[in-house]
Amino acid sequence: MPITKYLERNADEFGKDCALVELNPEVKENRRITWKEYDLTQPEPNLPYRREISWSIFNEKANRCAHYLLERGVRKGDKVGILMMNCLEWLPIYFGILKIGALAVPLNFRYSSDEIDYCLNLADISVLFFGPEFIGRLEAISDKIISHRLLIYVGEGLAPTFSESYFMSAMNYSSENLSIELSDDDDAAIYFSSGTTGFPKAILHKHRALMHSAICEQQHHGQTKDDVFLCIPPLYHTGAKMHWFGSLISGSKAVLLRGTKPATVIKAVSDELCTIVWMLVPWAQDILDSLDRKDVEIANYNLSQWRLTHMGAQPIPRKLVADWLKYFPHHDYDTNYGLSESIGPGCVHLGIGNVDKVGAIGIAGYGWQVKIVDENRDEVPQGEVGELAVFGPGVMVCYYKNPEATKEVMDDQGWLYTGDMAQMDKDGFITLVDRKKDVIITGGENLYPVQIEDFLRKMEAIKDVAVIGLADQRLGEIAAAIIEVKQGYTCTEEDVNNFCLELPKYKRPRKIIFASVPRNPTGKIEKTKLREMYRDIDPFAVMKAD
């Protein structure tokens, strides 16, 4: 059964109940107020920018989007992109796409113009919904992308000349449910991932994978109609959306929060009576630091209903969880592990009640199987290190239009080989020990060293460069650049940082180390050696070139 049926059920059974709330307390912008249920032009004192929709309105908006797309010639099997920040429009558009049997294709809001163009072509996207934050990036490539695509502006005022306005058009279409038949075997969505080369791969999933991720989430965290889920991460992430699927199944309220400051998060939990919060390590660490400094006093907030905190997207430090439970001893805690190739989090999870196992990523999730294998993909004895492999209904169909890459990570039985090196203890709990790939996870975002290395090599003074991840308490990892300077040249940390201003902020190296770059006889950088050499380095120490 496709997940769109849950939305229609919720509209029938819980139609007047709140489905989604959007909070923008840290976003200062003049946006069109739509789908409001009260006058936000006259806010109450200290009321943040807030909008909400009920389940019936949610379903109506999804239906209007679906009928609108059909009128524009979009049909079952077509690919429709979403390039938007979190907002009330995001999920109704996503479900509108699914309702007509088209494939929803969310794009990372951090993508540059060139990356957007690449992904539009890779996934055969014929229609793109985009928000006001992306006008400039799309203008830069509009000549290349508009001739054979429909661009739909989801934002305030007049649409850019290369697009048409969603608000001016779609709201006039029917709000009735559609009769298009969907099955579990129909293609449903494409999500983007990347390998160590930094070039995105398009990950194809069927409706059964989306459905299983919803069931898996609800089984793991027991969402009921009374729960309220606080969603902070961007919805283009499989993790954010698939955790929200637990709210979809239970028909419960969710809050989309655009803001990560400690006081913002705590206030949202208090004001909206949130019971479940999924966090990345940096946000949790910031909250703990704020509580330690007494910048935030939890006694001033209504937090007694907050029952579950779960984290993912990067390894979770044991100390972080221990410190968290000192402030919130009544919280249940869970860690989730997953990949976009396995439809987000849940294929491995720690499990509520297993706090003594923090440090491990957990056991096989609901409906999943796991194993740890050697280089021949044979299972290793318990306790030995090998590559983690997972199997279940949420495994991708393939890397779209890339059979070679698919074959590298999937076998004929459907096992997905994650590239993460792990070991299993006597109780069956899995711990990650290293990554087969060189991807750096910083604050829940993937950085691809080759991209940064290629950029830095444009500096005339640089002879060689290697980028690795170094441990960081707040971000999990930071990118460190080991730079070998050409003989006769000088190069300072300031020079490198200034050069990197052309990179998006999250891609800039946080640590610059001037040293030789070791390579093996075949010319490959020995990154394992570099990680070992610099793993205990002070992240704030300054290292200078000779």
Side-chain angles (χ1 to χ4, degrees):
M1 182 178 79
I3 59 171
T4 52
K5 294 301 181 183
Y6 273 111
L7 176 57
E8 293 169 7
R9 180 212 64 178
N10 291 349
D12 289 339
E13 296 184 14
F14 317 122
K16 294 183 179 180
D17 294 347
C18 180
L20 294 172
V21 173
E22 176 190 350
L23 293 179
N24 286 307
E26 295 178 19
V27 179
K28 297 180 180 179
E29 58 180 336
N30 295 317
R31 290 183 55 192
R32 176 175 178 170
I33 306 298
T34 61
W35 309 354
K36 60 182 182 292
E37 296 184 357
Y38 49 84
D39 185 5
L40 285 175
T41 64
Q42 302 294 326
E44 299 172 4
N46 301 317
L47 180 69
Y49 177 44
R50 182 186 189 277
R51 301 191 292 161
E52 70 173 64
I53 54 173
S54 65
W55 282 111
S56 62
I57 297 298
F58 185 164
N59 189 52
E60 287 177 9
K61 299 304 179 184
N63 288 338
R64 293 186 196 278
C65 178
H67 286 291
Y68 166 66
L69 289 172
L70 288 173
E71 177 68 21
R72 292 297 186 274
V74 181
R75 295 294 182 265
K76 191 172 185 178
D78 290 341
K79 286 79 176 178
V80 181
I82 305 175
L83 181 59
M84 296 163 55
M85 305 296 288
N86 283 12
C87 60
L88 279 186
E89 290 80 5
W90 210 109
L91 286 166
I93 287 172
Y94 182 84
F95 275 77
I97 297 167
L98 296 183
K99 277 173 175 274
I100 65 171
L103 281 70
V105 189
L107 276 72
N108 187 330
F109 64 63
R110 298 180 185 271
Y111 281 159
S112 66
S113 296
D114 289 343
E115 288 169 321
I116 293 169
D117 182 39
Y118 181 86
C119 290
L120 291 175
N121 290 318
L122 176 62
D124 294 325
I125 293 172
S126 58
V127 178
L128 177 67
F129 289 91
F130 69 96
E133 299 87 352
F134 307 99
I135 293 174
R137 275 176 264 181
L138 290 175
E139 279 181 336
I141 55 174
S142 60
D143 289 346
K144 294 193 289 183
I145 65 175
I146 63 173
S147 61
H148 52 291
R149 291 186 182 90
L150 172 62
L151 274 64
I152 304 171
Y153 175 62
V154 186
E156 170 110 17
L158 294 175
T161 56
F162 56 81
S163 65
E164 65 179 61
S165 172
Y166 181 63
F167 290 145
M168 295 292 289
S169 303
M171 296 305 105
N172 297 320
Y173 284 83
S174 171
S175 62
E176 296 299 315
N177 288 328
L178 291 83
S179 58
I180 296 174
E181 290 296 324
L182 300 175
S183 75
D184 289 346
D185 284 327
D186 286 333
D187 294 337
I190 289 175
Y191 289 88
F192 288 103
S193 184
S194 291
T196 54
T197 63
F199 293 103
K201 300 184 187 73
I203 301 165
L204 177 62
H205 281 290
K206 292 185 178 294
H207 275 277
R208 71 158 50 87
L210 301 185
M211 189 63 193
H212 183 71
S213 69
I215 296 171
C216 187
E217 169 61 19
Q218 203 276 334
Q219 288 289 325
H220 288 170
H221 298 136
Q223 288 92 336
T224 70
K225 186 70 172 65
D226 295 328
D227 276 309
V228 180
F229 173 54
L230 181 64
C231 180
I232 309 172
L235 287 167
Y236 73 77
H237 267 304
T238 52
K241 194 174 330 58
M242 282 41 181
H243 282 311
W244 171 78
F245 279 169
S247 301
L248 176 70
I249 284 188
S250 59
S252 55
K253 168 181 162 182
V255 179
L256 306 176
L257 175 64
R258 286 182 64 178
T260 61
K261 295 178 181 177
T264 297
V265 175
I266 296 297
K267 190 174 189 305
V269 172
S270 178
D271 291 351
E272 301 294 336
L273 299 179
C274 299
T275 63
I276 302 175
V277 182
W278 181 52
M279 289 194 184
L280 300 181
V281 166
W283 307 334
Q285 187 62 56
D286 287 346
I287 289 174
L288 290 175
D289 292 344
S290 185
L291 293 174
D292 288 343
R293 295 191 305 265
K294 300 191 182 302
D295 295 339
V296 173
E297 293 280 1
I298 56 177
N300 296 333
Y301 298 91
N302 185 5
L303 304 176
S304 61
Q305 79 290 340
W306 187 356
R307 70 173 180 87
L308 171 64
T309 299
H310 52 118
M311 303 183 196
Q314 65 189 92
I316 313 299
R318 292 184 179 90
K319 185 177 185 302
L320 175 68
V321 177
D323 291 344
W324 188 267
L325 294 176
K326 289 177 184 176
Y327 278 107
F328 304 102
H330 67 287
H331 281 194
D332 284 327
Y333 172 77
D334 194 13
T335 292
N336 295 272
Y337 167 91
L339 309 91
S340 295
E341 289 88 343
S342 63
I343 206 59
C347 60
V348 180
H349 81 123
L350 188 68
I352 294 172
N354 293 319
V355 175
D356 59 318
K357 290 289 189 178
V358 169
I361 57 172
I363 58 177
Y366 180 83
W368 287 91
Q369 299 177 49
V370 299
K371 63 183 179 180
I372 298 175
V373 301
D374 59 21
E375 61 274 9
N376 297 316
R377 294 184 173 175
D378 296 323
E379 288 195 60
V380 302
Q382 185 182 81
E384 290 192 12
V385 174
E387 183 179 2
L388 175 63
V390 300
F391 177 86
V395 169
M396 68 177 183
V397 178
C398 64
Y399 288 124
Y400 184 63
K401 297 196 301 188
N402 196 338
E404 295 82 9
T406 302
K407 189 174 181 179
E408 289 178 5
V409 300
M410 289 183 68
D411 63 20
D412 294 338
Q413 287 74 46
W415 281 90
L416 174 69
Y417 296 86
T418 68
D420 286 323
M421 306 304 288
Q423 59 188 152
M424 184 182 294
D425 69 13
K426 60 182 178 61
D427 299 316
F429 283 79
I430 297 167
T431 300
L432 297 182
V433 297
D434 199 354
R435 279 194 301 279
K436 195 173 182 180
K437 303 174 182 178
D438 290 324
V439 176
I440 300 166
I441 304 176
T442 180
E445 291 286 347
N446 286 0
L447 299 183
Y448 303 99
V450 170
Q451 286 185 329
I452 305 172
E453 290 163 358
D454 288 344
F455 178 83
L456 285 171
R457 287 194 181 98
K458 297 176 184 177
M459 282 192 72
E460 188 177 3
I462 292 180
K463 175 184 177 182
D464 205 358
V465 59
V467 174
I468 60 172
L470 296 180
D472 181 80
Q473 182 178 7
R474 180 174 178 271
L475 296 173
E477 287 182 308
I478 60 170
I482 295 88
I483 292 174
E484 189 170 342
V485 179
K486 294 178 183 176
Q487 187 174 359
Y489 283 77
T490 60
C491 187
T492 67
E493 185 172 0
E494 183 179 7
D495 294 334
V496 177
N497 289 333
N498 287 338
F499 186 80
C500 288
L501 291 176
E502 295 181 28
L503 284 174
K505 188 174 181 180
Y506 81 107
K507 289 187 178 182
R508 298 171 195 167
R510 300 290 188 100
K511 179 69 182 175
I512 307 299
I513 301 170
F514 292 99
S516 60
V517 176
R519 291 180 176 268
N520 66 19
T522 64
K524 295 182 180 179
I525 298 173
E526 296 182 304
K527 292 194 173 179
T528 300
K529 179 183 292 185
L530 287 172
R531 284 192 286 266
E532 180 67 24
M533 290 170 59
Y534 296 112
R535 66 178 181 179
D536 297 322
I537 192 171
D538 179 356
F540 300 104
V542 177
M543 301 188 70
K544 299 180 179 180
D546 293 332

